[in-house]
Amino acid sequence: MHNYFSSDFKLGILGGGQLGKMMLYDTRKYDIQTYVLDASPEAPCKIACDVFEQGDLMDFDTVVNFGRKVDVLTFEIELVNVDALEQLESEGKKVYPSSATLRKIQDKGVQKQFYAEKGIPTADFTVYTEKDELTEALVRKEWDYPFVWKSCTGGYDGKGVSVIRDEEDLIPLPEGACLAEKMIPFKNELAVIVARNVSGEVKTYPVVEMEFHPEANQVEYVICPARIEDHVAEKARAVAKKVSESFEHVGLLAVEMFQTEDDEILVNEVAPRPHNSGHYSIEASFTNQFEQHLRAILDLPLGETESKVGGVMVNLVGDENHEGQVHYQNIGKIMQMPGVTPHIYGKKQTRPFRKMGHVTIVNKDLGEARRIAEEVKKEIKVISRG
């Protein structure tokens, strides 16, 4: 095992956003040298890594040259050049999660077909290479309204997903490969984070419940543990574990799921990295998701995944009427509330619904944590300086 304490070991992270920044909190525990590549000169990671490089994550040569400088390469965003990762692996570089895992996940059409092949429960779907193909399928009445449209590539944070209620809803959709998916009436949206290290040790985190913002199609609250029956929670963890085994990923895999009206568990989609649904773990868990990701990719023993205390996470997103230099209004007020910890990501510019930070609320009583979360949501505003 490599000595990660006072060593010259170099970890490379593709992507310099908030997930990378929070991962860097934990590299400091191990005294690991960190290299970060991101296109933005103002990336949140810039203040916290040893070496910051500005460059395009989709550019083959940029990614290969960056990867050659480090011992292990990981990523905090899926939109990276997979051919470059493959090239690095062929040169003997350790890339976790692997290029093969990322290829199956990066394209939502491929991801869904993978579930079908592996017998993983998911909503019925059809993949189309062009928007016109979908339009023709609708003319042939192959789909009933409403259904869900998803772009095969490039979607994140609620972008690239639309509910199609009638023909009009199709007009603004972009061209290109997409999939149509049956709309599932569900009771809850759940998520489970699965950690798997290089040696194949696997652990799952408790099931979390996600409450969504009706307009922005973004998570508003994440509640851990989910307020569901034990047998449903066990089923969700088992499905997540199966998904993890099927992908053979190394690192974290966030598995988002629907709990249907009759308590079936259907996989919606996955992310092979730390995830919004795991932020509560920084304050509420014995081993937070970012430390766990590092343990997994460095092939260290995985930490305990259970929670110490109930946790609710609130996303801080840009106010819909504000754009420009960011100002966090009433942050002092929320910090007076019990069990409240804000995390500000360090993005300079706010835009409507842009993720600018999150707040964790911990409490032995989950109901009380949820109530305080609502107060936090009411008080704090992410606006621009007038």
Side-chain angles (χ1 to χ4, degrees):
M1 193 182 279
H2 202 288
N3 177 11
Y4 298 109
F5 303 89
S6 302
S7 73
D8 56 1
F9 177 85
K10 297 179 179 69
L11 174 69
I13 303 171
L14 295 171
Q18 65 265 21
L19 298 174
K21 184 185 174 197
M22 288 185 272
M23 207 187 299
L24 290 167
Y25 300 173
D26 285 293
T27 59
R28 292 295 176 231
K29 288 179 185 172
Y30 302 142
D31 193 21
I32 291 169
Q33 286 191 49
T34 50
Y35 285 58
V36 172
L37 178 71
D38 194 271
S40 167
E42 292 185 342
C45 275
K46 194 173 183 181
I47 60 160
C49 58
D50 293 299
V51 178
F52 180 81
E53 287 188 22
Q54 197 180 339
D56 181 356
L57 300 175
M58 293 307 283
D59 182 70
F60 180 86
D61 291 333
T62 303
V63 174
V64 168
N65 292 331
F66 175 79
R68 284 176 179 154
K69 295 172 191 165
V70 301
D71 298 299
V72 169
L73 186 62
T74 190
F75 47 84
E76 58 107 63
I77 183 170
E78 288 90 316
L79 304 174
V80 302
N81 189 309
V82 189
D83 294 335
L85 300 184
E86 218 165 50
Q87 174 63 32
L88 288 162
E89 286 166 338
S90 74
E91 294 174 15
K93 275 288 168 215
K94 290 175 177 170
V95 180
Y96 301 123
S98 69
S99 61
T101 298
L102 188 55
R103 257 191 217 290
K104 294 185 197 103
I105 291 173
Q106 212 176 32
D107 182 308
K108 285 198 176 129
V110 174
Q111 192 185 132
K112 289 283 283 189
Q113 280 159 339
F114 182 76
Y115 299 147
E117 280 160 31
K118 296 287 181 185
I120 291 162
T122 191
D124 293 341
F125 69 97
T126 307
V127 178
Y128 299 99
T129 51
E130 287 296 334
K131 182 178 164 181
D132 291 351
E133 271 188 36
L134 170 59
T135 314
E136 285 162 24
L138 287 165
V139 171
R140 293 194 298 270
K141 303 243 186 307
E142 284 170 24
W143 285 94
D144 294 327
Y145 297 106
F147 65 91
V148 179
W149 168 91
K150 290 180 179 176
S151 168
C152 283
T153 54
Y156 68 97
D157 277 359
K159 297 174 185 70
V161 178
S162 291
V163 175
I164 308 301
R165 297 184 193 283
D166 53 41
E167 277 171 62
E168 295 288 299
D169 288 343
L170 286 171
I171 297 162
L173 297 180
E175 297 300 329
C178 61
L179 61 95
E181 191 175 276
K182 188 178 173 186
M183 190 125 168
I184 301 293
F186 57 83
K187 282 194 234 185
N188 281 308
E189 292 206 43
L190 307 172
V192 173
I193 288 177
V194 190
R196 187 171 182 272
N197 72 9
V198 181
S199 301
E201 184 191 2
V202 175
K203 287 193 177 181
T204 60
Y205 277 81
V207 185
V208 303
E209 172 189 344
M210 298 184 284
E211 285 188 39
F212 275 75
H213 184 283
E215 281 99 73
N217 195 19
Q218 273 183 345
V219 177
E220 196 162 25
Y221 300 107
V222 172
I223 298 164
C224 183
R227 298 164 294 185
I228 54 176
E229 291 174 10
D230 288 349
H231 73 96
V232 178
E234 279 161 30
K235 195 188 292 187
R237 279 174 104 155
V239 167
K241 203 168 173 205
K242 181 176 181 181
V243 175
S244 160
E245 282 157 7
S246 302
F247 279 115
E248 295 178 335
H249 70 102
V250 169
L252 295 188
L253 191 72
V255 184
E256 295 185 60
M257 302 175 263
F258 298 121
Q259 174 190 358
T260 67
E261 298 292 355
D262 50 5
D263 289 342
E264 285 307 301
I265 295 289
L266 300 179
V267 174
N268 179 22
E269 58 187 53
V270 298
R273 52 170 170 77
H275 190 255
N276 195 255
S277 63
H279 291 346
Y280 76 91
S281 66
I282 298 177
E283 279 75 32
S285 304
F286 285 101
T287 312
N288 77 60
Q289 66 165 345
F290 299 98
E291 180 186 337
Q292 197 75 285
H293 181 75
L294 292 169
R295 285 179 178 231
I297 64 175
L298 302 177
D299 205 20
L300 294 164
L302 297 179
E304 193 180 334
T305 54
E306 293 309 300
S307 297
K308 304 178 214 179
V309 64
V312 177
M313 191 272 306
V314 180
N315 275 324
L316 295 182
V317 299
D319 189 289
E320 56 189 314
N321 303 313
H322 285 261
E323 196 153 336
Q325 197 186 349
V326 67
H327 174 63
Y328 299 90
Q329 198 175 24
N330 294 340
I331 198 155
K333 227 175 198 176
I334 67 161
M335 287 175 82
Q336 292 169 350
M337 299 175 189
V340 168
T341 305
H343 292 257
I344 303 299
Y345 297 157
K347 298 175 183 177
K348 306 281 181 270
Q349 299 292 313
T350 182
R351 296 193 293 272
F353 302 119
R354 186 183 194 194
K355 282 184 187 163
M356 301 299 287
H358 74 264
V359 178
T360 314
I361 300 92
V362 292
N363 200 296
K364 287 191 176 69
D365 176 346
L366 194 62
E368 181 63 5
R370 175 66 182 75
R371 190 191 65 71
I372 296 167
E374 203 142 331
E375 268 185 58
V376 166
K377 191 86 186 164
K378 274 208 279 284
E379 282 296 345
I380 193 159
K381 293 278 177 280
V382 182
I383 58 174
S384 53
R385 289 186 189 280

